[in-house]
Amino acid sequence: MSPAAVAGRRLPGTETEASTKAKLLLVAFGIAALGDLAALLAGSDTGHTLFKPLLMPLLAGYVLTVKGPRLLTAALLFGWGGDTLLLFDADPAFLAGMGSFAAGHVCYLVLFKRYGTARARGAWLVAGYATALVATVALLWPDLPADMRGPVAGYSLLLTAMAFAATRLGLTAAAGGALFLLSDTLIATGVAEWPQAPRPDFWIMLTYIAAQFLLVSGVLAAQPTRPTQSVQPARLTSESAEATPSGEPTPPPRHPAR
């Protein structure tokens, strides 16, 4: 079979191999998530430093394998940048990490607009997210360091917009957006030095990991399926069945002149 013919066909086993690879990446993501959460419960900074940077690249690899939107991969990689930067205990790294997460939220907003539908969202939902934004910023404001107030307020606005826009994709993505909002709010309460629950990093990572996974699931479910174009075998005619050595069809036989 010529290379041109092969290019138009899906090679046998390709879909199975991609499916297997996708499952392995999801399993690896689950193992990394469990490892990170276990490390946080055990108070192991080494384990957290090892597992946390693996999470988003594995999830991004899964998205690439199932041919998800590039913007979704970008959102996860920006999340990976934020995850890595927040491992450093310094204000510049925290602000840079916040900026990386903000870029990821912009990617999500574009995805929600592209694949979402104009769902009927009640006034109570709008009021709920607006109240959460105003109340969170107002309560945290006095306790935040002066140089953090502006960035936290701006980031909170973008984060809330992302969480609200996620409702366009249905319940799965909406839950992911809400959990992302909760996770980052827990981080903000730590910056403001509010009283924390035992093992606060565990709850932050638990809600964050679940949020990213649910957002990925929601976007992939909303992505339009691409119809597979099957290649029909060319019909052989009596003229094209016989070819000259040069590859050109043999001309039809000449009929005797009348």
Side-chain angles (χ1 to χ4, degrees), residues 8 13 16 19 25 36 38 49 54 60 64 72 74 82 85 91 94 111 113 127 148 163 172 177 209 212 222 231 240:
T16 303
S19 177
L25 285 168
D36 186 50
T49 303
L54 298 177
L64 286 172
L72 183 55
L85 288 166
D91 287 348
F94 181 84
L111 286 168
K113 183 177 181 181
M148 287 288 185
T172 299
I209 292 169
Q212 291 281 37
V231 179
S240 61

Side-chain angles (χ1 to χ4, degrees), residues 56 71-80 82-83 86 97-113 151-166 176-185 187 208 211-212 215 219:
M56 293 307 106
L71 269 179
L72 183 55
T73 303
L76 295 172
L77 293 180
F78 280 124
W80 170 75
D83 291 343
L86 291 187
M98 188 187 301
S100 189
F101 280 121
H105 295 328
V106 172
C107 293
Y108 276 128
L109 282 169
V110 175
L111 286 168
F112 298 155
K113 183 177 181 181
V152 168
Y155 178 81
S156 298
L157 176 60
L158 180 60
L159 172 63
T160 305
M162 183 279 293
F164 178 72
L179 285 174
F180 214 133
L181 184 61
L182 174 59
S183 179
D184 281 4
T185 300
I187 294 177
Y208 169 70
Q212 291 281 37
L215 286 172
V219 171

Side-chain angles (χ1 to χ4, degrees), residues 2 8 13 25 29 61 85 118 131 158 165 168 189 207 217 228 232 237:
S2 67
L25 285 168
F29 170 74
L85 288 166
T131 301
L158 180 60
R168 291 172 57 92
T189 60
T207 50
S217 300
T228 304
Q232 298 294 335
T237 62

